[in-house]
Amino acid sequence: MTTTQARTEPDHAHGAGPEADTAPGAGTAAAAEAVDGHQGGHGPHGYSAQKDAHLKRLRRIEGQIRGLQRMVDEDVYCIDVLTQVSASTKALQSFALSLLEEHLRHCVAAAAEQGGVELDAKVAEATAAIGRLLRS
C-alpha cells in the first residue's frame, strides 16, 4: 500500500469497505459519526499516540513488499520468495493486532463509559474486525 492509498482509503482499515461484515449503512459517514462522535469517523483514534511508530512500521512492511517484487523480477528461487511472503504476512498480522489492541483500549473503552448503543456498536465492530483477521 502506498502512502497515498493509506491516506485516501482509511475506512477500509475500519471495515467500512465493500467486504465489511457490518449492518447496512454502518460504513457511511453518518453511521461512523453516530458511533465515534467524530465527523466521518475521523479524529483522535486509539493509534494516534503511536502514529509515527506505526507509519515507520508500515514503511518497513512496504519495503518488504518491494523486496518481493524485486525477487520475482530477478527470478529468485520460489522457496526464498515464499519465505519473504511469510515474513511480510506476519509483519502485517502483527501490525493489525497492535491496531486492534489500541482500538479496544481507546475506542471500545470510551464506548464502555457511555454504555448503551455506543458500546454495542463498538463491540460489534471489533468482533467483525477480529473475524476478518481470523479469515485472512
Side-chain angles (χ1 to χ4, degrees):
M1 174 183 307
T2 66
T3 306
T4 303
Q5 286 173 318
R7 288 187 190 137
T8 60
E9 299 176 11
D11 290 338
H12 292 287
H14 297 292
E19 70 283 349
D21 294 333
T22 57
T28 66
E33 183 176 1
V35 173
D36 289 343
H38 301 295
Q39 180 66 15
H42 300 285
H45 298 290
Y47 63 83
S48 294
Q50 300 296 322
K51 191 173 187 174
D52 289 340
H54 288 318
L55 289 171
K56 180 179 178 182
R57 194 171 184 182
L58 286 169
R59 282 191 282 279
R60 191 176 317 121
I61 293 168
E62 183 179 24
Q64 287 179 297
I65 302 305
R66 289 185 194 279
L68 277 166
Q69 292 170 341
R70 278 191 304 277
M71 292 173 82
V72 169
D73 186 49
E74 296 170 2
D75 293 318
V76 172
Y77 183 59
C78 306
I79 298 302
D80 294 338
V81 175
L82 288 170
T83 299
Q84 182 65 25
V85 167
S86 179
S88 300
T89 300
K90 293 294 182 190
L92 275 173
Q93 289 171 340
S94 177
F95 176 73
L97 285 175
S98 175
L99 281 180
L100 178 61
E101 179 181 5
E102 290 169 349
H103 176 71
L104 293 172
R105 289 184 188 279
H106 180 267
C107 302
V108 176
E113 291 177 6
Q114 294 177 336
V117 176
E118 292 82 9
L119 176 58
D120 292 342
K122 287 295 181 188
V123 168
E125 182 181 58
T127 301
I130 292 166
R132 287 188 302 275
L133 287 172
L134 289 174
R135 285 193 299 270
S136 62

